[in-house]
């Protein structure tokens, strides 16, 4: 009552301004920059390169000892079938090999119509016909550790874009852990496992000459 209307309005304005500022601080307004990026789906091909892949694809008792090896069967599948090109229509395809351990990405084939990414790969190609499959699939490993190799692949390639893993092997596992751990990890990550077996289902014949 003792001050003029001007000072009354001025002090009230200061109070209301302070309340507005406190409200803005409570709401914490800030500038947000949002960007969108598209990452293509990924499929990994895991190929057995242990020495057991030098064995005949079919039972020698049925073929008379002639025929292609298991490694050659896989090579012809990758070279001559539309498998990889069909996968590349929707996915980026990474090729890995394994024997006693996982060997890092040997080739990355980009999605059809898009550039092939080369991060962390030893060799790159925009077409499966440019990959030297014979050199890449050379059987050199002395053991087959599928369980650990697959689990390591799922850990290193863990990503929301990894759609599945195609496993090409004769199944002659003789080292490492069983596949249960890797299978559970794949299920937890939402990754589909597809196995392609090569070789005879008949047990091998063990022949030894004791005396000449």
């Amino acid at each position: 009552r003792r001050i003029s209307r001007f000072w009354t309005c001025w002090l009230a304005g200061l109070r209301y301004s302070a309340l507005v500022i406190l409200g803005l601080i409570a709401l914490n307004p800030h500038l947000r920059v949002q960007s969108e990026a598209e990452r293509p789906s990924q499929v990994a091909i895991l190929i057995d390169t242990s020495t057991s892949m030098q064995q005949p694809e079919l039972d020698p008792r049925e073929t008379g000892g002639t025929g292609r090896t298991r490694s050659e069967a896989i090579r012809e599948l990758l070279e001559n079938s539309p498998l990889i090109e069909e996968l590349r229509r929707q996915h980026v395809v990474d090729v890995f090999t394994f024997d006693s351990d996982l060997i890092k990405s040997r080739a990355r084939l980009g999605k059809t119509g898009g550039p092939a990414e080369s991060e962390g790969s030893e060799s790159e190609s925009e077409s499966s016909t440019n990959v030297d499959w014979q050199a890449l699939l050379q059987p050199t490993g002395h053991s087959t550790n599928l369980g650990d190799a697959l689990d390591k692949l799922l850990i290193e390639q863990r990503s929301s874009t990894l759609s599945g893993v195609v496993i090409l092997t004769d199944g002659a596992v003789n080292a490492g852990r069983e596949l249960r751990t890797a299978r559970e990890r794949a299920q937890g990550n939402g990754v589909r496992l597809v196995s392609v077996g090569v070789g005879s289902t008949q047990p091998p014949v063990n022949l030894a000459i004791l005396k000449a």
Side-chain angles (χ1 to χ4, degrees):
R1 294 178 180 180
R2 294 180 181 179
I3 60 178
S4 64
R5 182 178 296 274
F6 170 79
W7 287 109
T8 301
C9 295
W10 173 255
L11 293 175
L14 290 177
R15 294 189 182 97
Y16 290 136
S17 298
L19 292 175
V20 170
I21 293 173
L22 291 174
L24 291 175
I25 294 174
L27 294 175
N28 190 26
H30 58 277
L31 181 64
R32 177 177 298 175
V33 178
Q34 183 174 345
S35 60
E36 294 183 0
E38 180 180 354
R39 299 182 62 188
S41 176
Q42 177 192 5
V43 166
I45 298 181
L46 183 61
I47 307 172
D48 189 348
T49 55
S50 60
T51 51
S52 65
M53 300 299 288
Q54 295 175 335
Q55 299 297 321
E57 176 193 13
L58 302 176
D59 192 337
R61 291 169 290 187
E62 300 175 358
T63 61
T66 61
R68 60 187 181 179
T69 65
R70 299 169 185 179
S71 179
E72 291 171 344
I74 291 179
R75 177 172 57 83
E76 292 183 17
L77 170 68
L78 298 176
E79 286 181 341
N80 303 327
S81 77
L83 171 64
I84 289 185
E85 296 307 319
E86 288 288 340
L87 290 174
R88 291 182 64 200
R89 291 184 180 181
Q90 298 182 351
H91 314 278
V92 170
V93 178
D94 285 302
V95 181
F96 297 83
T97 59
F98 76 98
D99 40 65
S100 59
D101 194 9
L102 175 71
I103 302 174
K104 66 179 181 179
S105 181
R106 306 294 301 278
R108 165 161 282 200
L109 308 176
K111 184 178 178 182
T112 303
E117 301 177 17
S118 59
E119 184 177 334
S121 63
E122 291 182 356
S123 59
E124 306 161 15
S125 175
E126 293 186 357
S127 173
S128 59
T129 57
N130 295 335
V131 179
D132 187 355
W133 294 109
Q134 185 169 0
L136 189 147
L137 301 180
Q138 200 65 233
T140 56
H142 298 294
S143 60
T144 306
N145 188 354
L146 176 57
D148 289 341
L150 178 58
D151 194 45
K152 186 175 180 180
L153 171 63
L154 293 170
I155 294 174
E156 293 183 353
Q157 299 296 311
R158 184 174 182 178
S159 170
S160 59
T161 62
L162 181 60
S163 176
V165 180
V166 180
I167 307 165
L168 302 171
T169 178
D170 59 2
V173 178
N174 56 12
R177 297 173 294 172
E178 60 181 16
L179 287 168
R180 180 172 58 186
T181 301
R183 185 172 63 249
E184 291 175 352
R185 190 183 303 278
Q187 291 175 348
N189 295 346
V191 178
R192 183 178 181 184
L193 301 180
V194 179
S195 59
V196 180
V198 60
S200 174
T201 57
Q202 298 295 326
V205 177
N206 294 322
L207 178 63
I209 300 176
L210 299 180
K211 291 184 180 180

